[in-house]
Amino acid sequence: MVTEAKVESRAVLTLPLCLEGAAEAQHGGPNLLQRILSLFKNVRPGSDLTRFQLPPVFNMPKSHLQCLGESVYCIGDDMLKKCVNGKTSLERFTAVVGWSISTLRPLIFGVAPFNPILGETHHVSADTLHVLMEQISHHPPVSALHATDEKDNIEIIWCQHPAPKFYGTKVEAVVHGKKELKLLNYGETYVMESPKLLIRFFPVPGIDWVGDITIRCEESGLQADLCFRTKSFLGFGGSYRSVTGKIFDSSSLKTFYDLNGHWDSTITVKDSEEGNVTVIYNAKEAISRFNTPTVKDPKGLWASESAVVWGEVNQGILNKDWEKAREAKKGIEERERELLRERKAKGETWVAKHFTVSHTKEGGWECSPIHKWVPPAPIALL
Ligand SMILES: *[C@@H]1O[C@H](CO)[C@@H](O)[C@H](O)[C@H]1NC(C)=O
């Protein structure tokens, strides 16, 4: 058993990913690309990478659960308030499109977050928005997120199942799973897809969000079709991190707005009738320089909290003490295997604490939160 005092002293939180972070990141020293490619030398193209183990030197000091959480609890410019304050269904829909884009964060080429352990949790509050995540499957990795704001009557439910595959010159991760934002005051549910994550080694190394997604509101019938593109093949011309699309009525197919821009700068919509243009998203205001979340209530921390589970590894990475980081990571992995063996021996199946987990006919994952509201968290973002 981990005692409370120990839990408290081991929690290590790190700076959230933000717009400037990726640009300023140390690019892992010399020969990064060669070192990355050597990791893949025994991997066949087309292989599933969900069991791929990385040495800590290729890890950022946080788990995937934290990256997912940050994309919801680290948000400037109060994008969620705009969704609630929209006077018409079109205004609210447009704000939700902006919010959905804000959940895309610039990642850093050459470093990946840890694969969370089974049952790992991450629980953080930002003002009145409380966010609780749980890793509901280890292989394949599936993360469940529930966020609520009782003041604004908002609920977010997101079951995320990334499926990375290696293709020789790139790694591509399709991000499966349902992502819903509910504006309970209006009885509206917005369902959105996530673009794919592309990690490209050649010809120009880079990491980016790509592909086509839709965002829909069943109640109003509004829909957005968006297309994310990366830099053109040779890296010259073409636009980088561009988003194009339209917002339309899915029954009459009437287009209201044409959408254009870059998810790392601004996104605008142009009124199809009047021709006037409005900025609906500004990355500088929404995803710039966040504070590091802090432990406000050490006694309230669970032993399953990401910042506790990975605390020692995080500290090793922050200190560039790779030996310590590797030892700590190995310890976590060995303990996981041991717990798995014990469950197998006893014939037990693992059950999520905070979500009811189900499967779709197509083999997809779905999660529904057990509690209506997420309680205030022991970790807060100021
Ligand atoms: C364009 O102007 C009209 C009339 O003022 C307004 O209703 C509409 O919301 C505006 N559209 C955009 C995209 O700004």
Side-chain angles (χ1 to χ4, degrees):
M1 268 320 279
V2 185
T3 67
E4 273 169 6
K6 250 176 131 184
V7 165
E8 173 187 343
S9 64
R10 274 174 39 207
V12 178
L13 289 142
T14 55
L15 260 183
L17 291 170
C18 67
L19 194 57
E20 300 80 7
E24 288 166 7
Q26 296 283 331
H27 277 235
N31 309 323
L32 175 65
L33 186 61
Q34 268 111 309
R35 288 191 288 128
I36 291 174
L37 291 173
S38 74
L39 292 174
F40 289 102
K41 67 177 183 287
N42 295 322
V43 182
R44 262 180 304 114
S47 294
D48 166 29
L49 289 181
T50 54
R51 282 171 188 269
F52 197 64
Q53 302 275 357
L54 282 176
V57 70
F58 295 104
N59 279 128
M60 59 177 86
K62 60 178 82 234
S63 90
H64 176 75
L65 219 50
Q66 289 170 283
C67 292
L68 178 64
E70 287 172 3
S71 72
V72 172
Y73 61 70
C74 294
I75 176 89
D77 197 26
D78 230 337
M79 306 283 302
L80 282 171
K81 193 135 279 153
K82 276 192 197 157
C83 302
V84 179
N85 290 345
K87 286 182 195 66
T88 61
S89 52
L90 182 59
E91 265 183 48
R92 290 189 294 277
F93 189 87
T94 310
V96 170
V97 170
W99 175 77
S100 173
I101 293 171
S102 81
T103 62
L104 298 176
R105 301 296 158 95
L107 298 166
I108 302 166
F109 182 80
V111 281
F114 312 120
N115 189 7
I117 62 170
L118 188 63
E120 181 175 323
T121 55
H122 186 47
H123 186 193
V124 178
S125 292
D127 196 14
T128 52
L129 179 72
H130 307 308
V131 185
L132 174 60
M133 279 148 282
E134 182 173 16
Q135 189 71 9
I136 58 170
S137 169
H138 188 57
H139 287 306
V142 184
S143 310
L145 177 146
H146 186 211
T148 56
D149 187 327
E150 286 188 60
K151 207 173 97 239
D152 288 332
N153 233 351
I154 289 177
E155 182 175 35
I156 300 163
I157 301 171
W158 189 353
C159 184
Q160 201 199 51
H161 170 202
K165 278 194 172 163
F166 177 64
Y167 293 103
T169 59
K170 63 179 181 183
V171 169
E172 209 173 79
V174 177
V175 183
H176 301 288
K178 199 182 209 177
K179 178 179 177 187
E180 284 180 336
L181 169 63
K182 297 183 190 211
L183 302 181
L184 301 169
N185 286 345
Y186 304 96
E188 288 172 343
T189 298
Y190 298 81
V191 181
M192 48 205 94
E193 296 171 331
S194 303
K196 288 184 286 195
L197 182 64
L198 170 71
I199 303 165
R200 192 184 44 212
F201 306 124
F202 301 107
V204 185
I207 183 163
D208 209 351
W209 299 102
V210 298
D212 298 335
I213 67 160
T214 63
I215 300 171
R216 281 178 61 84
C217 176
E218 288 302 334
E219 292 78 12
S220 65
L222 290 168
Q223 181 168 331
D225 287 350
L226 305 182
C227 171
F228 293 80
R229 281 205 196 87
T230 188
K231 208 179 226 159
S232 70
F233 186 67
L234 289 172
F236 305 118
S239 42
Y240 193 38
R241 296 182 159 174
S242 72
V243 190
T244 53
K246 59 179 181 181
I247 295 176
F248 61 101
D249 180 334
S250 59
S251 47
S252 69
L253 300 182
K254 176 178 159 33
T255 298
F256 297 106
Y257 297 149
D258 290 305
L259 182 145
N260 241 296
H262 301 267
W263 63 261
D264 60 350
S265 57
T266 57
I267 306 274
T268 59
V269 291
K270 182 174 164 193
D271 196 300
S272 300
E273 269 171 16
E274 314 262 335
N276 47 335
V277 173
T278 307
V279 174
I280 63 158
Y281 179 65
N282 185 334
K284 245 205 173 96
E285 287 163 14
I287 60 167
S288 269
R289 301 211 179 281
F290 298 113
N291 294 325
T292 301
T294 50
V295 177
K296 215 180 49 186
D297 167 23
K299 290 207 165 63
L301 282 178
W302 298 326
S304 57
E305 164 59 45
S306 298
V308 174
V309 170
W310 300 99
E312 243 183 297
V313 192
N314 288 345
Q315 199 56 59
I317 293 176
L318 293 174
N319 299 343
K320 293 197 167 33
D321 184 346
W322 305 117
E323 193 48 45
K324 181 182 162 186
R326 199 163 35 240
E327 279 304 306
K329 196 176 177 190
K330 214 170 92 191
I332 294 170
E333 283 157 0
E334 275 167 10
R335 198 164 148 266
E336 279 311 284
R337 281 193 286 271
E338 181 59 30
L339 288 173
L340 180 65
R341 270 195 297 274
E342 277 175 23
R343 277 196 302 274
K344 271 202 175 136
K346 289 186 196 152
E348 286 175 359
T349 34
W350 182 86
V351 180
K353 261 208 183 87
H354 307 282
F355 294 87
T356 307
V357 179
S358 56
H359 296 271
T360 62
K361 279 194 287 293
E362 301 79 35
W365 292 73
E366 279 186 4
C367 59
S368 67
I370 287 173
H371 299 289
K372 184 167 162 41
W373 300 107
V374 176
I379 299 175
L381 182 80
L382 300 174

